[in-house]
Amino acid sequence: MRRDFTDRDDLVAYLRHEFPSAAAIDPHVSPILGGRRQALGLLQQIQPARYAASRNYLAGAVTHLSPYIRHGVLTLAEVRDFALRRVANPFEALKFITELAWRDYWQRLYTAWGRGIALDREPYKTGHTDYADTLPPDLREARTGLACMDAFSRQLQETGYLHNHARMWMAAYVVHFRRVRWQAGAEWFLQHLLDGDPASNHLSWQWVASTFSHRPYFFNRENLEKYTGGSYCRECPARGHCDFEGTYDELSQRLFPIALDS
Amino acid sequence: MSSANASSPLLWIHEDCISPTSPPFAEYPLAPAVWVWDDSLDWSLKRIVFVYECLLELPVAIERGDPVAVLQSEAERMGAERIVTVQSPSPRWAEIRSALRLPVEVLEPIPFVELRGTVDLKRFSRYWKRAQTPALLPGGTSPS
Ligand SMILES: Cc1cc2nc3c(=O)[nH]c(=O)nc-3n(C[C@H](O)[C@H](O)[C@H](O)COP(=O)(O)OP(=O)(O)OC[C@H]3O[C@@H](n4cnc5c(N)ncnc54)[C@H](O)[C@@H]3O)c2cc1C
């Protein structure tokens, strides 16, 4: 295939032509640029000491390195070694290095389980078995009426990147609030995420679903509002009456009444 | 020299090792390298653009089709008698590797941490109990 292009537009036009079925899945091109030069530039900007306190916020000091790490453009080892050079004491980088280690852990499980990562590793601990097989079209089309989920859906499909917390909220929404089996959401993510990785993706979805964890992960509106700086809730048409209103206890009663009974 | 030529490798760059510093390039800096777009991929366009941009920074021929057939015909065309690549956990990678009718040298990826013996992977906490100390050291290896 061609290697010489005048600019990015030329490359994109060529790839649209060569891969029509990929363009049919979704025609967007991400603003995130590929290549090791780009990756090394981002690496220079990491702030491992600020990471622990801020990483759960959408505006926190996360690195956006995942698409490069996923494809071996950067290795986990070189990112870790660089982070260690940025801090006075290795423990200042502990949280950041622990997150790098999650990837190493998922990769080791992938080596052990192979295609088995796509099967429920354990039963759901939600009390439910009646999960739908397919993703609700309103989510794919960003028409749920929930400002947060619609924005995350668009961001996923337009840029191929989502913050970790947004991935967790979305996965919890799909599996626990819409009661769809995690595999449907995981396959959708894999088509779009630039860092789409069978191990990190499927096993994180299983962690949220509770098929690879002791309990389901879910959230309430207060949590989402806090870590997004309120930007979605402020303008949400469902403000005040969305699915996520309530305390954790109330939501747990609503979502998992059978599990709580037993 | 024909004997050196006869054993000369073709580097197979796949989706886990798209870097000029990855082990095949480090080990065989002068060998030809190839990437194959696997027809069985189900990615949206933006993933393809991203990976293509990564590939354009590498000295690889970019090919497309059934990876086994492409790797074999490229090896033949270049007079390479073996394939060199990097280990991957992907079952698809293992399928391609075992279907190749040429010798395959599999290099180890650069490890995050080196853990000897069996590692308990039941939950992250068990893995982390073993991995934390080396993970906080440059190179990921405990001083022995
Ligand atoms: C439902 C769901 C699906 C996910 N799918 C993927 C996926 O397909 N590919 C992927 O790489 N990550 C996935 N993750 C993990 C995590 O969300 C992303 O790695 C992270 O958000 C990438 O952004 P970053 O590079 O800014 O991360 P940072 O917070 O800056 O972290 C640095 C690096 O550490 C690694 N990392 C951080 N957190 C995790 C984690 N929880 N699990 C594994 N690795 C981690 C990544 O390589 C990341 O680039 C998923 C998480 C969830 C909840």
Side-chain angles (χ1 to χ4, degrees):
Chain A
M1 297 183 73
R2 268 176 66 190
R3 289 194 50 106
D4 288 321
F5 299 94
T6 49
D7 54 23
R8 197 176 202 225
D9 289 344
D10 188 22
L11 167 69
V12 170
Y14 171 71
L15 293 178
R16 257 187 226 291
H17 181 259
E18 288 292 320
F19 294 92
S21 56
I25 292 173
D26 184 273
H28 289 98
V29 171
S30 176
I32 300 167
L33 304 177
R36 185 165 162 92
R37 251 179 314 203
Q38 192 68 22
L40 291 174
L42 282 178
L43 188 60
Q44 291 296 330
Q45 295 166 33
I46 69 170
Q47 305 177 63
R50 264 198 64 215
Y51 182 82
S54 72
R55 64 179 283 270
N56 283 329
Y57 291 86
L58 291 205
V62 296
T63 63
H64 297 256
L65 288 174
S66 52
Y68 307 95
I69 294 174
R70 152 67 176 93
H71 296 102
V73 178
L74 295 174
T75 64
L76 285 175
E78 75 182 315
V79 175
R80 182 262 324 279
D81 292 357
F82 187 87
L84 287 173
R85 290 199 294 276
R86 273 283 157 99
V87 291
N89 178 321
F91 284 94
E92 288 172 43
L94 176 62
K95 189 66 197 169
F96 180 64
I97 292 172
T98 309
E99 292 306 313
L100 296 175
W102 272 99
R103 177 175 166 85
D104 185 53
Y105 173 64
W106 297 136
Q107 293 289 302
R108 285 169 190 263
L109 282 176
Y110 194 20
T111 302
W113 292 342
R115 292 205 167 90
I117 59 166
L119 307 173
D120 296 353
R121 298 309 308 181
E122 298 165 16
Y124 282 85
K125 285 94 184 171
T126 55
H128 300 297
T129 49
D130 54 339
Y131 290 90
D133 283 334
T134 52
L135 208 63
D138 63 344
L139 183 60
R140 213 185 271 276
E141 293 158 15
R143 293 190 287 104
T144 65
L146 299 163
C148 53
M149 294 303 149
D150 290 347
F152 300 151
S153 170
R154 279 192 299 271
Q155 200 189 333
L156 171 69
Q157 298 180 78
E158 291 170 12
T159 72
Y161 177 84
L162 280 178
H163 185 280
N164 180 59
H165 223 154
R167 298 181 198 211
M168 289 166 60
W169 292 322
M170 240 192 166
Y173 175 64
V174 168
V175 179
H176 304 311
F177 290 87
R178 303 296 296 266
R179 210 170 300 156
V180 174
R181 61 203 280 271
W182 66 262
Q183 285 90 342
E187 280 156 25
W188 184 49
F189 266 33
L190 269 195
Q191 287 187 316
H192 294 285
L193 288 172
L194 299 188
D195 63 30
D197 180 280
S200 293
N201 182 63
H202 283 37
L203 294 167
S204 296
W205 276 86
Q206 300 227 38
W207 181 87
V208 169
S210 74
T211 54
F212 190 52
S213 58
H214 297 302
R215 64 187 72 85
Y217 166 82
F218 65 102
F219 64 95
N220 68 3
R221 195 186 62 78
E222 201 181 335
N223 170 274
L224 189 142
E225 185 172 37
K226 171 175 172 187
Y227 290 107
T228 56
S231 56
Y232 301 110
C233 298
R234 254 196 307 277
E235 57 184 51
C236 184
R239 187 180 166 79
H241 54 91
C242 78
D243 297 349
F244 316 132
E245 294 285 353
T247 64
Y248 277 89
D249 276 349
E250 287 162 356
L251 281 173
S252 180
Q253 293 282 354
R254 265 200 331 256
L255 295 170
F256 316 115
I258 311 163
L260 292 173
D261 277 352
S262 54
Chain B
M1 281 194 314
S2 62
S3 62
N5 207 23
S7 69
S8 68
L10 173 65
L11 313 182
W12 170 28
I13 302 305
H14 56 71
E15 63 185 58
D16 292 333
C17 60
I18 314 179
S19 167
T21 64
S22 89
F25 290 120
E27 196 86 10
Y28 301 101
L30 301 177
V34 64
W35 162 277
V36 190
W37 286 107
D38 188 340
D39 281 339
S40 69
L41 272 187
D42 181 27
W43 290 355
S44 64
L45 181 68
K46 60 191 157 300
R47 291 200 69 178
I48 293 179
V49 172
F50 177 85
V51 167
Y52 213 102
E53 285 175 330
C54 294
L55 291 171
L56 289 176
E57 288 187 0
L58 300 188
V60 284
I62 303 173
E63 302 293 337
R64 181 171 184 190
D66 165 48
V68 175
V70 173
L71 286 166
Q72 282 176 180
S73 68
E74 282 297 292
E76 194 174 326
R77 197 171 66 78
M78 293 178 179
E81 291 202 333
R82 67 201 169 96
I83 302 232
V84 175
T85 190
V86 181
Q87 182 74 43
S88 163
S90 154
R92 176 73 184 138
W93 174 86
E95 267 168 25
I96 297 166
R97 185 217 151 155
S98 60
L100 286 166
R101 280 178 281 104
L102 287 167
V104 182
E105 182 186 354
V106 179
L107 303 175
E108 285 299 316
I110 296 159
F112 174 62
V113 283
E114 287 196 78
L115 304 174
R116 291 198 195 88
T118 37
V119 183
D120 184 352
L121 298 173
K122 176 91 175 110
R123 290 288 189 248
F124 178 80
S125 53
R126 301 202 192 176
Y127 152 84
W128 192 230
K129 212 181 258 179
R130 286 275 311 274
Q132 176 169 350
T133 303
L136 288 179
L137 296 166
T141 10
S142 307
S144 46

